Amino acid sequence: MKITMAHGSGGKSSAELMGDIFGKHFRNQVLDKMEDAAVLSVGGKIACSTDSFVVSPLVFKGGDIGKLCVCGTVNDLLMMGSVPKYLTCGFILEEGLDVEVLDQIVESMARQARAAGVIIVAGDTKVVEGNGGMYINTTGIGEIPEGRYVSSSNCEEGDLIICSGNLGDHHACILSHRMEIENSISSDCAPLNDIVEALYEAGINVKTMRDVTRGGLGTVINEIAESSSVKIELEEESIPVNPEVKGFADILGLDPLYMGNEGKMIAVVPCAQAEAALSAVRATEHGVDARIIGKVKAGEGAYIKTHLGATRRFDVLYGEGLPRIC
Ligand code: MG
């Protein structure tokens, strides 16, 4: 069965879609009340983030737009030190979308939401003319426990930078699908609750956390250097990249420094706690390949020490990169 304009009419077909797909997968005590708005309890400071997901293809190795739209927003909440709690989702479905694909994607969202500890408390669906595509917006709310304060402007001379794992997997995976290149590269799309909680449980004074998404590590490092008014120097040889992704990037002339990820983060921590922080991250499911990749120095700008020993400055990503990656 395909999605038709009738599914967006607000009438019988809409109600069936709600019950048969969204209701079936998303049921929880807040949604079941069927009120005009969700009433939520939160204590203290909250983090709030929103993101729209337009990835093409809808389903890819290692994930799909449903998994991505949960992980993307959950990870942004986590990067502020918050504990993700609630998610809303807005679906824009194009006429002609396969209902089975929609069911698979909604099921995937529900599974990821459970894994990330969030419940979906509000949602909306619209149907538009088109070619069977779909887009999802998610907004998330997380609670910030007392005493946590992370910000891109917190870094100081002497701090070290931990990268949670191999860079470029998601970007290379999406590009492989688009170019119909056969390989075993899988998206790294994942919720990073385990890494963030491990850092706090180990008592680390986390200064800054950023998920390394569109624009890549190069863009994130530049943003932090600017916000904190410091110089950041990365060691090229320490930056983890899966050899298959490295080979793929080399052939296409891509730099993993600017490739997008959906399950990788960096944490900036005090030098004295860096080894403890690294072991805490490496003990988690999503942080096994973590490395210390650089340090914060006095000065300004983002630099990388290449494998030849030279140091060069690098900038944020300019231009489009790969469109519709997330
Ligand atoms: Mg982010």
Side-chain angles (χ1 to χ4, degrees), residues 11-62:
K12 189 162 178 284
S13 299
S14 302
E16 279 169 7
L17 194 64
M18 289 306 125
D20 294 350
I21 296 187
F22 298 112
K24 182 175 76 181
H25 296 299
F26 288 167
R27 283 198 74 133
N28 62 54
Q29 61 209 30
V30 181
L31 275 186
D32 286 353
K33 290 203 169 95
M34 301 285 284
E35 305 279 11
D36 276 344
V39 177
L40 310 171
S41 302
V42 282
K45 277 193 181 158
I46 63 165
C48 179
S49 183
T50 193
D51 208 344
S52 298
F53 296 85
V54 300
V55 67
S56 168
L58 295 175
V59 179
F60 45 84
K61 216 176 282 171

Side-chain angles (χ1 to χ4, degrees), residues 303-320:
Y303 291 81
I304 188 163
K305 197 188 276 178
T306 70
H307 64 287
L308 300 170
T311 302
R312 69 175 169 89
R313 189 165 183 169
F314 62 92
D315 215 325
V316 298
L317 175 67
Y318 279 107
E320 188 38 83

Side-chain angles (χ1 to χ4, degrees), residues 175-241:
L175 199 49
S176 302
H177 276 280
R178 297 246 198 103
M179 297 175 77
E180 297 179 10
I181 297 172
E182 292 272 342
N183 56 37
S184 60
I185 299 171
S186 187
S187 168
D188 59 341
C189 180
L192 299 173
N193 306 57
D194 56 349
I195 298 180
V196 173
E197 287 313 312
L199 285 167
Y200 285 112
E201 271 166 31
I204 307 300
N205 172 24
V206 185
K207 303 280 193 74
T208 301
M209 291 188 282
R210 294 289 303 270
D211 55 344
V212 187
T213 52
R214 202 170 38 160
L217 180 68
T219 301
V220 167
I221 293 294
N222 267 283
E223 287 171 1
I224 297 174
E226 189 178 340
S227 294
S228 290
S229 304
V230 292
K231 173 180 175 180
I232 296 182
E233 194 175 288
L234 302 179
E235 294 268 349
E236 188 179 44
E237 298 215 304
S238 305
I239 297 172
V241 183

Side-chain angles (χ1 to χ4, degrees), residues 274-286:
E275 282 306 321
L278 182 64
S279 359
V281 174
R282 293 190 83 143
T284 65
E285 180 191 348
H286 297 117

